[in-house]
Amino acid sequence: MKNRSHRQLQTDLVSRSVLAGAFGLAFALSLAPARADETCSSPYLARIEGQEEFVYVWTLGVEGLGDGADKLVTVDAKPDSPTYGKVINSVSVDGRNEAHHGGFTDDRRQLWLAGLENSKVFIFDVHTDPAKPKLMKTIDNFEKTTGGAAGPHGAHSLSLECKR
C-alpha cells in the first residue's frame, strides 16, 4: 500500500463506497415485499389493477401431439382457485402457423396473435368469457393487402391517439 499514490487510494475508496452502497441497496430491496409491476406495452392500454385472473399462452403446434395445431391456451392465475396454475381451456387455430408474438387491443377486449409461417393473424375475443376465449377472425390475406409484406413478427392494435 505504501507504493500506491494518493489518487489510487482515493479511487479505491470511492469504488469500495459505491460497491458497498450497491450491496446495501440490494439488501434493502430484498427485504421489501415483492410486488407485480404493470407490464403494458403501450401507454394507451388500460392499466392493470390487482391480480390477473388468466394467463394466455400462444403455443406452437406439434405434429403427432393432439390435433397438431397452434393453440391459445388459458391458464388459471387466481391463487385461491382450485385450478390455479392449470390449463383450463385451449382453442386450436387452423394448422401449424409458427405461433409467435401477439398483443391486446387498447381496451383489452381482443388478443391479436401472429403466425410467422403463413402471415396469418388470429383475433380472439378475451372479454366476453375471459376463461374461454373465442377465435373471432383470421386475417389470412396479410401479404396480399400489404403489397407483399410477409410474416408479421407480432401484432398490436394501435389506439386512435396513436394514429393521429
Side-chain angles (χ1 to χ4, degrees), residues 13 41 52 81 102 123 131:
L13 182 59
S41 58
E52 289 281 2
S81 171
I123 304 171

Side-chain angles (χ1 to χ4, degrees), residues 5-6 13 16 21 52 59 75 78-79 96 100 110 124-125 134-135 155 157-158:
S5 72
H6 181 68
L13 182 59
R16 288 181 183 162
E52 289 281 2
T59 65
V75 178
K78 297 175 288 215
R96 295 170 58 210
H100 210 56
Q110 296 174 355
F124 286 87
D125 172 3
K134 299 245 185 283
L135 179 60
S157 175
L158 297 176

Side-chain angles (χ1 to χ4, degrees), residues 56 58 67 69-74 89-95 97 109-115 120-140:
Y56 301 111
W58 183 218
D67 63 7
D70 297 347
K71 293 172 184 51
L72 175 61
V73 175
T74 306
N89 191 60
S90 69
V91 180
S92 291
V93 297
D94 182 29
N97 307 278
R109 291 176 175 265
Q110 296 174 355
L111 182 57
W112 290 46
L113 301 169
K120 289 183 180 179
V121 177
F122 303 92
I123 304 171
F124 286 87
D125 172 3
V126 293
H127 176 73
T128 304
D129 186 354
K132 296 179 181 174
K134 299 245 185 283
L135 179 60
M136 297 171 45
K137 181 177 184 173
T138 300
I139 298 172
D140 58 4

Side-chain angles (χ1 to χ4, degrees), residues 16-79:
R16 288 181 183 162
S17 296
V18 169
L19 188 58
F23 280 125
L25 180 60
F27 178 73
L29 291 175
S30 71
L31 297 177
R35 292 175 30 133
D37 193 10
E38 174 62 46
T39 57
C40 291
S41 58
S42 163
Y44 300 101
L45 283 172
R47 180 168 171 76
I48 298 171
E49 297 290 339
Q51 172 75 38
E52 289 281 2
E53 294 187 354
F54 305 103
V55 174
Y56 301 111
V57 184
W58 183 218
T59 65
L60 288 167
V62 176
E63 191 172 331
L65 185 61
D67 63 7
D70 297 347
K71 293 172 184 51
L72 175 61
V73 175
T74 306
V75 178
D76 185 345
K78 297 175 288 215

